Amino acid sequence: MSKNREPLPGADAAWLRMERPTNLMMISAVMMFDEPMTLGELRDLIEQRLLIFHRFRQRVSNPKADPHWEDDPYFDLDRHLHRIALPAPGGQAELEALVSDFMTTPLDFGKPPWEVHLVENYGDGCALILRLHHCIADGIALIHVLLSMADESFDPAQVPAPKPRRAADEGLLAGLVSPVVQAVRGTVRVTEAVLHEGMEMLLNPRHLLTRAKQGMSVGAATSKLLLMSADSDTVFKGRLGVVKRAAWSRPVPLWTVKEIGRGVGGKVNDVLLTAVCGALRRYLLAHHETVEDVNIRATIPVNLRPLEEAYKLGNRFGLVFLALPVGIADPEERLLEVKRRMDRIKFSAEAPVTLGILQLIGSAPYEVQKQVVDLLSKNASAVMTNVPGPRQRLHLMGKPLGRMMFWVPRAGDVSTGVSLISYAGDVLLGVATDVRLVPDPEAIVAGFHEEFDALQRQFVQT
């Protein structure tokens, strides 16, 4: 085997083969800048700071049969960079529409499966839309890639000349990314911004495995996954279309989220999931659907990788299933119930079990994988994921990064994706939906703000 050709690991291959016209396995992200950036500056940024990760120079050969990473013999950076201008007035609505259009457009597997779009005429600055196939990396690895490109983290003296990766290069790349890892460690420590599992479980996934052994056994977790009933038939379930739509929220102060959580001894994630749950409840009621005895689950990714290995990219996460208490009207009662359910999941082995399943089905026949994905997706109506970002504001090529957002892909027939990211003391919510079922994700965003305001009135002294 060529040293520059390697098979996709099981979990990466699984996400690659989950690609469907109605659900593209693509992570979409947008970075919003306060100042314009030229195409030349973007080219320098990507060439000098992204392509040090050799994976971005590789394409997938035989993606449907025997997927391998191989060097793209025709690699041309210009094929991955694009420039587009927003129509007037060049605000959030126009940018949301453009992101939505790209969510419907598959990546080209004839080249490395990623691309970056420079969006001009966005306010007084610009935006970058990044599209990255899930087989390259998960959300935790992606945030490390983005952070490593920031002026505050990047050290040009350590950048090697572009060349095929060798085993000895890993040490150099790890050293280059190490300051980013330390920065994220500090961010997590100070802001408690690990939203989906608790700080110690992100920084030391072995802790998660230990806790799993103390709680639910692997056999019990497997049985739970296999015996789980299908989600209720709501507006969030049904036959998907091709067109997707994206929206995102106003910033929510992280200190306020933490203050609400202290009121019940809960975590940041408990508060945010409670507000999201309330938003889904509002959406169901607005569409004249019952919320009593309705079963709506969210699959939540849980990181199982040490941060020191994020530079290796790939996918190292499992999934847990959270039943959302949409039938509870009172925000405080709902928050307590979400906390109780999340605490129980933290002591289960669901995440390691689902990672093992993904690794296995990545090498299984396609029909077997399809059956497993369909089984898991029928048990959920949404994917909800959250990624910690930096505590301080960042700059790329000297341009101040105002905000950033991303959207998680959905597998099988899951229609709705909910993404949370912390950055510079704020939290943003992003929602992506299938237009055939949920044509107005902005309504869910509005409901989130209404629910968060209700929690704030109840728990935060003014």
Side-chain angles (χ1 to χ4, degrees):
M1 180 183 300
S2 167
K3 63 181 180 181
N4 293 323
R5 187 175 187 272
E6 57 182 306
L8 269 69
D12 298 352
W15 289 109
L16 173 69
R17 294 165 65 187
M18 287 184 206
E19 179 97 355
R20 298 181 183 180
T22 53
N23 257 340
L24 302 177
M25 290 296 99
M26 179 174 59
I27 298 171
S28 301
V30 61
M31 306 174 77
M32 294 159 268
F33 294 87
D34 300 331
E35 299 176 5
M37 181 183 297
T38 68
L39 186 61
E41 289 173 324
L42 174 60
R43 197 181 198 288
D44 289 343
L45 174 72
I46 300 302
E47 187 168 36
Q48 298 171 10
R49 305 186 185 185
L50 181 67
L51 296 185
I52 61 171
F53 298 90
H54 189 63
R55 181 68 77 219
F56 291 92
R57 295 177 177 271
Q58 294 185 306
R59 65 184 183 183
V60 180
S61 63
N62 300 320
K64 294 185 178 180
D66 181 26
H68 279 68
W69 288 114
E70 66 176 12
D71 291 353
D72 181 2
Y74 309 106
F75 181 80
D76 183 350
L77 180 55
D78 291 334
R79 299 176 68 201
H80 296 265
L81 304 182
H82 310 275
R83 182 172 64 179
I84 190 170
L86 287 182
Q92 179 170 329
E94 290 75 27
L95 187 56
E96 285 178 340
L98 183 58
V99 171
S100 302
D101 287 343
F102 283 135
M103 279 186 179
T104 307
T105 307
L107 289 164
D108 179 4
F109 277 90
K111 60 184 181 182
W114 64 272
E115 58 187 31
V116 181
H117 299 259
L118 172 61
V119 183
E120 299 174 336
N121 195 38
Y122 176 65
D124 294 328
C126 66
L128 298 181
I129 297 176
L130 301 92
R131 306 202 306 140
L132 171 80
H133 200 277
H134 209 327
C135 68
I136 295 178
D138 55 37
I140 291 294
L142 176 60
I143 198 67
H144 278 74
V145 168
L146 298 180
L147 289 175
S148 72
M149 295 195 298
D151 298 347
E152 288 78 2
S153 305
F154 183 71
D155 183 358
Q158 298 188 47
V159 178
K163 58 184 177 180
R165 188 188 65 172
R166 301 167 297 164
D169 291 335
E170 286 200 349
L172 175 60
L173 190 53
L176 181 63
V177 179
S178 179
V180 181
V181 171
Q182 296 307 319
V184 174
R185 282 183 181 275
T187 296
V188 170
R189 190 174 299 113
V190 174
T191 66
E192 297 180 0
V194 182
L195 306 178
H196 61 268
E197 53 187 324
M199 176 175 61
E200 70 278 12
M201 292 185 183
L202 176 61
L203 299 182
N204 185 7
R206 296 181 186 87
H207 184 74
L208 177 63
L209 298 176
T210 300
R211 298 286 285 272
K213 292 176 182 177
Q214 294 171 349
M216 183 184 291
S217 70
V218 170
T222 305
S223 298
K224 175 188 172 182
L225 293 173
L226 294 176
L227 299 176
M228 198 179 294
S229 61
D231 260 17
S232 300
D233 185 16
T234 68
V235 293
F236 300 107
K237 300 293 288 186
R239 189 162 65 91
L240 302 183
V242 172
V243 180
K244 313 300 175 186
R245 186 167 180 182
W248 64 86
S249 71
R250 302 186 304 274
V252 170
L254 185 59
W255 74 267
T256 307
V257 180
K258 293 165 66 176
E259 191 67 22
I260 295 171
R262 289 191 190 101
V264 296
K267 301 293 185 181
V268 168
N269 189 48
D270 300 328
V271 176
L272 294 172
L273 287 177
T274 297
V276 171
C277 178
L280 298 182
R281 170 188 169 87
R282 287 174 180 267
Y283 194 87
L284 290 171
L285 292 174
H287 288 76
H288 310 291
E289 294 207 8
T290 181
V291 293
E292 300 301 324
D293 300 319
V294 168
N295 197 41
I296 292 183
R297 294 190 192 89
T299 57
I300 301 177
V302 176
N303 180 57
L304 297 173
R305 160 206 283 127
L307 281 181
E308 292 84 353
E309 297 181 5
Y311 71 93
K312 295 181 180 180
L313 303 178
N315 291 272
R316 289 288 299 174
F317 68 92
L319 300 169
V320 297
F321 288 77
L322 172 68
L324 300 168
V326 294
I328 299 178
D330 181 70
E332 181 176 2
E333 184 181 347
R334 191 188 317 123
L335 174 56
L336 289 169
E337 181 60 21
V338 168
K339 178 183 180 301
R340 185 185 70 81
R341 296 183 185 188
M342 285 297 295
D343 287 346
R344 186 172 59 203
I345 287 175
K346 291 174 185 176
F347 285 87
S348 80
E350 284 184 46
V353 166
T354 54
L355 175 59
I357 291 173
L358 290 170
Q359 290 172 330
L360 287 174
I361 65 175
S363 56
Y366 174 76
E367 284 304 318
V368 173
Q369 174 174 318
K370 184 177 182 301
Q371 291 177 17
V372 174
V373 171
D374 289 344
L375 174 66
L376 294 177
S377 66
K378 77 179 180 65
N379 298 331
S381 297
V383 177
M384 297 184 183
T385 187
N386 22 66
V387 173
R391 177 169 163 256
Q392 75 282 6
R393 292 205 175 274
L394 300 179
H395 298 75
L396 279 78
M397 306 301 285
K399 314 300 181 183
L401 176 60
R403 297 178 186 173
M404 56 182 174
M405 192 60 243
F406 76 103
W407 290 267
V408 60
R410 283 83 62 202
D413 292 325
V414 177
S415 68
T416 303
V418 175
S419 305
L420 294 153
I421 186 168
S422 64
Y423 173 59
D426 290 323
V427 178
L428 261 67
L429 168 80
V431 180
T433 59
D434 184 274
V435 170
R436 185 171 192 158
L437 300 180
V438 182
D440 50 350
E442 63 276 7
I444 298 175
V445 171
F448 168 81
H449 282 295
E450 292 173 350
E451 290 293 329
F452 185 80
D453 290 345
L455 288 167
Q456 184 175 359
R457 288 193 298 270
Q458 194 156 352
F459 289 100
V460 180
Q461 299 295 325
T462 57

